[in-house]
Every structure is written in structure tokens, then in C-alpha cells.
């Protein structure tokens, strides 16, 4: 029998004994008047006289440490991420409450009432006058939860990770603060937060494989959205000139340190704006958010030190590839140039790939791995951007940028294509690509074209992968560290 199993057996016996005695091991009639952090804030700076005059407080928390001295003991309670020491004395709490203490295990949730004081080591402590069991924990907390061998267990049992790993709690508090800061930033600039369908009749707005589900009453297949883009632009057509959504999106793709099939994206659209306006807005927003949630603009990400101090450079995709290969940027869409280059740098994925698609492929291979500091990559080939506006000076490209930081794509933005005839032609090209084997190509969306025929004002839009942004701000290099319950392979049963 394993040690953990032995402890579970002992705890279940304790639970059975409590029930047999008539005690309720799971009461729900306690209401704390302070949290642990509030006790520290209110009484932490008081001197001895101030503590003597302090009132009794009542807190609840999880027992995470016990030091027993026979007729007295110290407990450490964990409450909302803060710890507070509690001193238990038999003569102060009485025989019944002290018997409750004697039956406690690490992980139990208790209610304590008492007055704050300082120990000889100057630690703020609650002198317990009452003690009650609120929840009996049947499984022991892990003694050694950190380390590579426990990474998957931490993700599967995030509830335990949050109890014993303060850094995990810090990351998810930072995540919440980041999203709140983004909402405030956009709200202050007149953006309206909206919600668009998660289940969609056509999977559009991005190049990705969708998840498919079925609606029984309508007898029709639906797709979990791969992006909210086409619905948000419909709203701009309808007169909401500035909209945003913090959207859960779903892509039926592989798992990696940068990919989870379910993730969170910020998308926002602004009428009468261009992609260049959004470079400025993005820079301002991410700088403001970083200052608010981390306190500065210098971040550590893996082995890299990232400096978010603006302005961030703007470089064309072709220029970045030219700098790495020595081939002139203005020749990189020539099939005779780009095709051999793609072959030399890793091969061609599909025989039908166009020069623009090959340029994007080569960029990912030779330039993207060196984009450590914040960089706006601009001028994407039109084949890579079926929803973006063509560049007036060179229609082989679109008015688009992607923001890279620490080798990760953080944001993707462009001046929106609002010519319905051009949009229909590009949808048709996507259909042809799908017929040729491109599983990520978009389908035709007739209603979206109809919306454009009503008139989409000149508009720019952007998507930001919030999980990757939070990875950057938190200084963690796996997306699973910033998603509370990441997708994993089924747990092995032995």
C-alpha cells in the first residue's frame, strides 16, 4: 500500500468517526470577517499596545503547516493566497476545540477566531480562542510538487498546484489583471465590448482546421469558431465603429508549448483607421498593460531579456528574409528565386504553393527565430491574407503587420478588405486551395460578402493571442502555465 493510500485510509476513518459522533465535517454556517491578507494589512504595523487593544477577528483557511508542542501548536493557514500563523493552546480554546485540532490533517479547512499578537520572532500570529473544522480533506497535499517529473500532474490537478505553488497563483492573478487592464484601455478609447457566436455555420476569419459539432434540432453541422473576425466586422457595417471581444476560440490542431486547441484571443476593429494606426495603438496598449501588471518594461522570458520600451521597429517580411539570405528583397516573389530558396531552407510543403506562400514559409524558417525584441513585421503577400486590403503601391502585398516578441507571434492586424468583389474573388481562391488539399483554407461566406455589399467603412482590425501575451508578461515559456486547465492526453490508468 502506498504512503498516500495509507493516509487516505486514515483520513477516511477520521471522517467516519466524526460522522459517528454526530459532528458535521462539512458545515456551511461560518462567515469570516477578515481574510489573511486583511489581517496583515490591518494589524501588521501595530505595536504591542495597538495589538493588545485590537479586536478579535474570524478567518477561514486551509491548514498547510502544523507544528505540535503537546498542549499547544502553531498552524499556518492559507487564505486567498496569503498565509497567517495561528497559535492553538488547549487552555485557550477548550478541550473540544483542542480535540478538533488533534484530528486535523494538512489540507483541512478550518475556521479560527482570535486576537492578533506577535511571537518572539516578531511574526504576526492569531491567538486562537475558537477553532472549527469546516472541510475534511481526504487526500494529502504533495510534499514535493515542483520539478519536471510533476509538470503534467500540476496541469491535471491545477487545484492542488494552486494550493502549494505560489507562483501558479501569481500567474493567474496576473492573467486576470492583464485582461482587466486591456478592457479599461479599450473602454477609455470608445471601444464597445461585444459577444459573437461561438458555434458558427461557416468556419472563417483565420486559416485553421475547425472542430465540428452537430445541432440536432436544426439537423446541421456547426463549427466552433476559429476566430470572431467576420462577425465583428459585420458589427462595424452595422455602425459600431469601435468594437472588441475577448473570445474563446478553437482550432483542431496539435499541442505544443505555444499551442492549445482552446485559447483566448482579443480581437478589435476600428473604423476610419489603417494598420499603421493600429501599430501605434498596439504599442501604447501593451506598454501600458505591462507597466500596470509587472511594474516595468523589462521582462525575462526564458534566456532572453525583453525590452518593451517604444518605439518598436517596423520591418517588411521581404527585408527580414533578405537580411538572412543575402537575396534582394524585391526579387523574393519571383518563382525562380523563392522556390529554390524554399527548397534549400527545408523544402516545399505542397506543389501548389504560390510564391507568396513560399515567402511566408521561408520567413518562418530563417527570420522568425531571431525576432526576440518587439518587432512589427509588415507587408505580407496577398495569398497569406485573404481578408486584408491590398497595398495601393504594390498589390502583390496587403496592408498588414504581425507583432513578434520573444520569437512568438503576439498580434496580427491589417487594414480590412472592404471591396466585396475582391473579397468574393479571394474566397473563391480559398475554395480552390481547399480543393487542392489545403485543409486550413476558408470557405465561401456569402452572408459576409452581402454585408460588405452594404458597405464596410475603411477599417483596421487586430487579433492578439492573450495566452501568449500573458506568457510573456509572466515570464513562462509554456502556454500550459497560463491556462488553468490545458488540454492533455487522457490520463493513463494502471
Amino acid at each position: 500500500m502506498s504512503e498516500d493510500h495509507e493516509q487516505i485510509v486514515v483520513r477516511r476513518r477520521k471522517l467516519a468517526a466524526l460522522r459517528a459522533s454526530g459532528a458535521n465535517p462539512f458545515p456551511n454556517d461560518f462567515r469570516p470577517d477578515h481574510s489573511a491578507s486583511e489581517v496583515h494589512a490591518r494589524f501588521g504595523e501595530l505595536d504591542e499596545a495597538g495589538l493588545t487593544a485590537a479586536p478579535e477577528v474570524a478567518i477561514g483557511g486551509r491548514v498547510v503547516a502544523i507544528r505540535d508542542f503537546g498542549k499547544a501548536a502553531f498552524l499556518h493557514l492559507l487564505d486567498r493566497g496569503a498565509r497567517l500563523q495561528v497559535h492553538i493552546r488547549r487552555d485557550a480554546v477548550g478541550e473540544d476545540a483542542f480535540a478538533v485540532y488533534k484530528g486535523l490533517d494538512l489540507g483541512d479547512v478550518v475556521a479560527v477566531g482570535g486576537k492578533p499578537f506577535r511571537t518572539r520572532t516578531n511574526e504576526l500570529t492569531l491567538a486562537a480562542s475558537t477553532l472549527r473544522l469546516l472541510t475534511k480533506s481526504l487526500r494529502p497535499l504533495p510534499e514535493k510538487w515542483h520539478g519536471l517529473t510533476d509538470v503534467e500532474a500540476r496541469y491535471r490537478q491545477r487545484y492542488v498546484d494552486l494550493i502549494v505553488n505560489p507562483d501558479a497563483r501569481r500567474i493567474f492573478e496576473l492573467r486576470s489583471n492583464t485582461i482587466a487592464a486591456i478592457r479599461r484601455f479599450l473602454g477609455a478609447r470608445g471601444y464597445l465590448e461585444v459577444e459573437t457566436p461561438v458555434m458558427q455555420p461557416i468556419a472563417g476569419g483565420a486559416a485553421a482546421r475547425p472542430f465540428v459539432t452537430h445541432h440536432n434540432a436544426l439537423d446541421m453541422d456547426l463549427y466552433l469558431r476559429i476566430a470572431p473576425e467576420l462577425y465583428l466586422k459585420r458589427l462595424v457595417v452595422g455602425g459600431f465603429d469601435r468594437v472588441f471581444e475577448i473570445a474563446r476560440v478553437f482550432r483542431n490542431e496539435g499541442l505544443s508549448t505555444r499551442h492549445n486547441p482552446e485559447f483566448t484571443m482579443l480581437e478589435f476593429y476600428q473604423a476610419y483607421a489603417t494598420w499603421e494606426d493600429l501599430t501605434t495603438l498596439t504599442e501604447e496598449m501593451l506598454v501600458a498593460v505591462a507597466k500596470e501588471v509587472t511594474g516595468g518594461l523589462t521582462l525575462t522570458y526564458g534566456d532572453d531579456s525583453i525590452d518593451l520600451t517604444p518605439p518598436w521597429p517596423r520591418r517588411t517580411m521581404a527585408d527580414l528574409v533578405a537580411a538572412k539570405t543575402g537575396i534582394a528583397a524585391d526579387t523574393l516573389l519571383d518563382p525562380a528565386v523563392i522556390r529554390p530558396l524554399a527548397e534549400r531552407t527545408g523544402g516545399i510543403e505542397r506543389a501548389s504553393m504560390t510564391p507568396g506562400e513560399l515567402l511566408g514559409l521561408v520567413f518562418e524558417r530563417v527570420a522568425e527565430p531571431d525576432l526576440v525584441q518587439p518587432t512589427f513585421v509588415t507587408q505580407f503577400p496577398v495569398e497569406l491574407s485573404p481578408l486584408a486590403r491590398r497595398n495601393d503601391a504594390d498589390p502583390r502585398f496587403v496592408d498588414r503587420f504581425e507583432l513578434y516578441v520573444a520569437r512568438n507571434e503576439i498580434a496580427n492586424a491589417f487594414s480590412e478588405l472592404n471591396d466585396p468583389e475582391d473579397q468574393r474573388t479571394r474566397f473563391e481562391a480559398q475554395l480552390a486551395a481547399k480543393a487542392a488539399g489545403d485543409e486550413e483554407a476558408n470557405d465561401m461566406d456569402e452572408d459576409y460578402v452581402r454585408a460588405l455589399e452594404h458597405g464596410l467603412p475603411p477599417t483596421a482590425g487586430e487579433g492578439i493571442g492573450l495566452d501568449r501575451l500573458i506568457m510573456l508578461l509572466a515570464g513562462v515559456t509554456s502556454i500550459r502555465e497560463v491556462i488553468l486547465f490545458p488540454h492533455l492526453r487522457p490520463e493513463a490508468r494502471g
Side-chain angles (χ1 to χ4, degrees):
M1 183 183 294
S2 70
E3 181 181 346
D4 276 5
H5 185 67
E6 290 177 1
Q7 290 190 53
I8 292 170
V9 170
V10 170
R11 290 177 183 223
R12 288 190 179 278
R13 287 175 183 162
K14 289 182 179 180
L15 177 62
L18 285 168
R19 294 190 194 278
S21 72
N24 181 1
F26 302 100
N28 190 19
D29 58 354
F30 170 73
R31 302 294 179 267
D33 55 32
H34 284 70
S35 67
S37 59
E38 288 168 345
V39 171
H40 283 289
R42 181 175 177 185
F43 304 108
E45 301 301 321
L46 296 183
D47 59 15
E48 185 174 348
L51 291 174
T52 300
E56 284 208 358
V57 299
I59 74 163
R62 187 180 298 275
V63 179
V64 293
I66 301 175
R67 287 182 292 148
D68 185 85
F69 299 100
K71 295 182 180 180
F74 285 101
L75 308 179
H76 277 186
L77 301 189
L78 180 66
D79 172 40
R80 302 191 210 174
R83 287 190 179 218
L84 182 64
Q85 182 168 266
V86 175
H87 187 224
I88 306 286
R89 288 192 1 246
R90 184 196 299 266
D91 59 350
V93 298
E95 292 295 336
D96 290 346
F98 200 73
V100 170
Y101 153 68
K102 284 296 188 180
L104 290 180
D105 294 297
L106 295 182
D108 288 351
V109 179
V110 298
V112 177
K115 283 177 59 93
F117 76 103
R118 291 192 181 281
T119 63
R120 281 177 292 183
T121 59
N122 206 36
E123 182 172 354
L124 186 67
T125 304
L126 210 61
S129 59
T130 61
L131 173 69
R132 292 180 62 200
L133 176 67
L134 298 180
T135 301
K136 185 64 189 171
S137 172
L138 299 181
R139 290 183 177 269
L141 294 175
E143 294 182 8
K144 297 179 181 178
W145 193 252
H146 302 281
L148 291 176
T149 58
D150 299 312
V151 167
E152 186 168 313
R154 287 180 48 231
Y155 301 150
R156 289 192 188 280
Q157 301 177 46
R158 183 69 82 186
Y159 40 88
V160 181
D161 188 30
L162 293 169
I163 294 171
V164 301
N165 182 359
D167 198 50
R169 188 179 184 97
R170 175 192 68 84
I171 289 169
F172 292 106
E173 288 174 344
L174 181 146
R175 181 185 181 102
S176 179
N177 293 338
T178 298
I179 293 172
I182 288 170
R183 281 192 163 106
R184 285 192 297 271
F185 182 93
L186 292 174
R189 285 154 182 80
Y191 282 82
L192 179 72
E193 184 171 7
V194 298
E195 295 176 325
T196 62
V198 173
M199 294 191 297
Q200 302 179 351
I202 297 172
R209 293 180 60 187
F211 288 93
V212 185
T213 187
H214 187 79
H215 191 287
N216 291 333
L218 294 176
D219 191 23
M220 65 181 291
D221 284 344
L222 293 167
Y223 303 92
L224 297 183
R225 66 179 171 198
I226 56 176
E229 176 171 343
L230 300 186
Y231 282 92
L232 291 172
K233 287 192 282 194
R234 285 172 169 95
L235 296 178
V236 180
V237 171
F240 287 140
D241 285 356
R242 298 187 180 200
V243 293
F244 78 96
E245 183 171 11
I246 294 174
R248 299 292 284 181
V249 295
F250 307 85
R251 299 182 182 180
N252 199 349
E253 299 168 347
L255 301 171
S256 75
T257 57
R258 296 191 298 172
H259 297 91
N260 194 67
E262 177 182 0
F263 61 100
T264 305
M265 179 181 290
L266 165 69
E267 282 211 15
F268 57 95
Y269 292 83
Q270 181 175 330
Y272 313 109
T274 70
W275 68 275
E276 293 171 299
D277 297 316
L278 294 194
T279 61
T280 302
L281 180 73
T282 302
E283 200 171 69
E284 291 175 351
M285 177 167 62
L286 298 191
V287 164
V289 169
K291 285 181 177 178
E292 181 173 338
V293 302
T294 72
L297 295 179
T298 302
L299 308 172
T300 299
Y301 186 84
D303 295 330
D304 298 312
S305 178
I306 308 297
D307 185 0
L308 298 182
T309 303
W312 302 338
R314 281 77 165 153
R315 301 284 304 279
T316 72
M317 178 182 285
D319 282 342
L320 288 167
V321 170
K324 291 296 181 181
T325 63
I327 298 173
D330 60 1
T331 68
L332 285 171
L333 287 186
D334 182 341
V337 173
I338 192 61
R339 188 167 288 274
L341 180 59
E343 292 282 11
R344 290 198 304 274
T345 58
I348 295 174
E349 295 175 352
R350 300 187 318 277
S352 61
M353 291 186 78
T354 66
E357 290 174 315
L358 293 173
L359 176 58
L361 190 65
V362 172
F363 163 77
E364 291 176 359
R365 292 169 175 171
V366 306
E368 186 178 312
D370 291 330
L371 295 177
V372 176
Q373 300 304 323
T375 304
F376 289 108
V377 179
T378 67
Q379 275 200 355
F380 281 62
V382 68
E383 301 97 314
L384 302 180
S385 312
L387 299 167
R389 183 180 185 277
R390 291 180 189 268
N391 181 267
D392 289 333
D394 189 343
R396 299 176 302 167
F397 296 95
V398 294
D399 293 334
R400 174 183 174 187
F401 74 77
E402 286 185 349
L403 171 64
Y404 281 83
V405 188
R407 305 176 183 87
N408 285 329
E409 176 204 331
I410 301 294
N412 178 27
F414 41 81
S415 299
E416 301 297 336
L417 174 60
N418 62 345
D419 178 341
E421 294 180 350
D422 189 356
Q423 181 64 79
R424 179 178 293 280
T425 299
R426 291 203 225 172
F427 275 146
E428 290 169 349
Q430 288 283 295
L431 290 176
K434 177 167 283 192
D438 185 353
E439 295 182 349
E440 297 185 346
N442 287 178
D443 286 321
M444 173 68 71
D445 190 334
E446 290 285 358
D447 180 71
Y448 179 67
V449 174
R450 179 169 58 191
L452 292 185
E453 289 172 347
H454 282 279
L456 174 68
T459 298
E462 180 168 346
I464 294 179
L466 289 183
D467 305 288
R468 291 185 184 177
L469 174 62
I470 292 159
M471 287 168 59
L472 176 68
L473 296 175
V476 295
T477 56
S478 171
I479 197 170
R480 294 180 180 181
E481 294 287 354
V482 301
I483 295 176
L484 279 167
F485 301 102
H487 289 272
L488 301 165
R489 294 185 183 280
E491 191 170 2
R493 299 292 181 181

